[in-house]
Amino acid sequence: MRLVFAGTPEPALPSLRALLDSGRHEVVAVVTRPDAPAGRGRRVERSPVAALADERGIEVLTPAKAGDPAFQARLKELEPDLCPVVAYGALLPESALAIPTHGWVNLHFSVLPAWRGAAPVQASIRHGDDITGATTFRIVKELDAGPVYGVVTERVRERDTAGDLLGRLAESGANLLLSTVDGIADGSLRPVEQPGQGVSYAPKVTVEDARLDFGTPAVALDRVARAVTPDPGAWAEFRGERLKLGPVTPVESEEPPAPGEIRVERRRVLVGTATDPVALGDVQAQGKKRMSANDWARGARIEAGERIS
């Protein structure tokens, strides 16, 4: 089939590579978000999907909005049979959905109807799910509500960060997407409507969502920190400045410090919570490089009773 692939960040790359290398389909173009500032220097860069398309000599379309008439005109000229989508990052109007013969098929990183929305992997970790996965479905007007073609499942490991889990789902999801495209092409696959029960939503994670509250139980604090690693990254305040924190680890203590209180030990730095304390991982003070918690504590000269707020 003739395909126009839509995607933007790195987790979309395994799927694009799988389609390009299958030999059974032709990717005639990719649709991705426009070039944007990235990194410390805020230099304008191509999206990872655009960079791979450039490398493979594939046409790149970067509409500001998918409703742009010029974009839709070009999409019609390309005559796609199907448009696979992985983390494109923009809404698709019905006028665009109607262009490809077999519609748009999305790879979503949850087992739908659970965790519809922008941040399903983060939500799965934050809420303590044991199992998650990826789903392919036909895109309709309602958010992530279209009929399902296929599902793969993945166990959420005890110390998974969002980055760890998303990396595995991107790989297993790529195989699912390719088999879905194959099934649509040969007519062997028909989508099934999602159940009406079990619907939940995972909105985009904000910087404020990533702030750690040491007045909550250690297990909840741990889940939040892992859910926002690596992006946008967990943080709290210390001495009136923002302190970036790597994942934290709940530990047992016979005499736990008070919530937010810092206790520097020989091999670890503990912070009290509403239950057991947590051991800090990497720490990055404002204007400084990321370092181990012990190195940070030595440099900061933590005084007895000081707290992270």
Side-chain angles (χ1 to χ4, degrees), residues 122-189:
Q122 293 91 331
S124 183
I125 292 176
R126 183 185 287 260
H127 289 267
D129 293 349
D130 294 319
I131 299 293
T132 187
T135 304
T136 49
F137 68 96
R138 180 164 181 156
I139 295 178
V140 297
K141 184 178 180 180
E142 186 181 349
L143 179 66
D144 298 337
V148 169
Y149 285 103
V151 174
V152 292
T153 58
E154 175 72 31
R155 185 175 67 84
V156 182
R157 299 172 187 172
E158 184 178 1
R159 300 308 305 159
D160 266 343
T161 65
D164 297 332
L165 182 54
L166 183 56
R168 298 200 305 276
L169 289 174
E171 295 293 338
S172 60
N175 294 327
L176 172 64
L177 182 62
L178 178 58
S179 65
T180 297
V181 174
D182 288 344
I184 294 171
D186 64 21
S188 64
L189 197 57

Side-chain angles (χ1 to χ4, degrees), residues 72 146 148 202 221 230 247 257 284:
Q72 292 195 18
V148 169
L221 202 69
Q284 186 175 8

Side-chain angles (χ1 to χ4, degrees), residues 249-256 263 265 268 270 275-279:
T249 305
V251 297
E252 293 183 357
S253 175
E254 293 183 0
E255 297 182 7
R263 179 182 295 168
E265 299 183 347
R268 62 187 183 179
L270 303 183
T275 53
D276 288 322
V278 294

Side-chain angles (χ1 to χ4, degrees), residues 1 8 35 52 57 76 90 100 105 143 174 184 192 197 211 223 234 259 263 266 273:
M1 286 199 297
T8 299
D35 299 354
L52 178 57
K76 289 177 182 178
V105 174
L143 179 66
I184 294 171
V192 177
Q197 295 77 37
R211 182 171 187 164
R223 289 174 182 173
R263 179 182 295 168
R266 185 176 179 182
T273 75

Side-chain angles (χ1 to χ4, degrees), residues 27-254:
V27 180
V28 296
V30 302
V31 184
T32 189
R33 300 295 293 154
D35 299 354
R40 276 188 153 185
R42 308 304 292 164
R43 185 176 61 184
V44 174
E45 295 181 358
R46 301 281 266 173
S47 76
V49 164
L52 178 57
D54 291 341
E55 180 184 312
R56 298 291 188 98
I58 299 168
E59 181 179 352
V60 177
L61 306 176
T62 58
K65 293 183 178 181
D68 178 62
F71 161 68
Q72 292 195 18
R74 179 56 184 150
L75 189 60
K76 289 177 182 178
E77 291 173 352
L78 291 167
E79 297 183 332
D81 298 306
L82 180 71
C83 291
V85 184
V86 185
Y88 171 46
L91 295 175
L92 297 165
E94 290 185 88
S95 55
L97 295 178
I99 293 173
T101 306
H102 296 282
W104 299 64
V105 174
N106 190 35
L107 172 65
H108 183 77
F109 296 118
S110 79
V111 178
L112 291 171
W115 304 131
R116 294 175 180 176
V121 173
Q122 293 91 331
S124 183
I125 292 176
R126 183 185 287 260
H127 289 267
D129 293 349
D130 294 319
I131 299 293
T132 187
T135 304
T136 49
F137 68 96
R138 180 164 181 156
I139 295 178
V140 297
K141 184 178 180 180
E142 186 181 349
L143 179 66
D144 298 337
V148 169
Y149 285 103
V151 174
V152 292
T153 58
E154 175 72 31
R155 185 175 67 84
V156 182
R157 299 172 187 172
E158 184 178 1
R159 300 308 305 159
D160 266 343
T161 65
D164 297 332
L165 182 54
L166 183 56
R168 298 200 305 276
L169 289 174
E171 295 293 338
S172 60
N175 294 327
L176 172 64
L177 182 62
L178 178 58
S179 65
T180 297
V181 174
D182 288 344
I184 294 171
D186 64 21
S188 64
L189 197 57
R190 293 287 184 273
V192 177
E193 294 296 328
Q194 294 185 33
Q197 295 77 37
V199 176
S200 54
Y201 291 93
K204 182 179 179 179
V205 176
T206 67
V207 172
E208 191 58 34
D209 293 330
R211 182 171 187 164
L212 299 184
D213 179 1
F214 288 91
T216 57
V219 64
L221 202 69
D222 168 45
R223 289 174 182 173
V224 171
R226 290 186 291 112
V228 298
T229 298
D231 184 51
W235 65 279
E237 286 191 359
F238 176 69
R239 295 176 182 170
E241 293 185 343
R242 184 172 295 190
L243 191 69
K244 294 183 179 180
L245 301 169
V248 299
T249 305
V251 297
E252 293 183 357
S253 175
E254 293 183 0

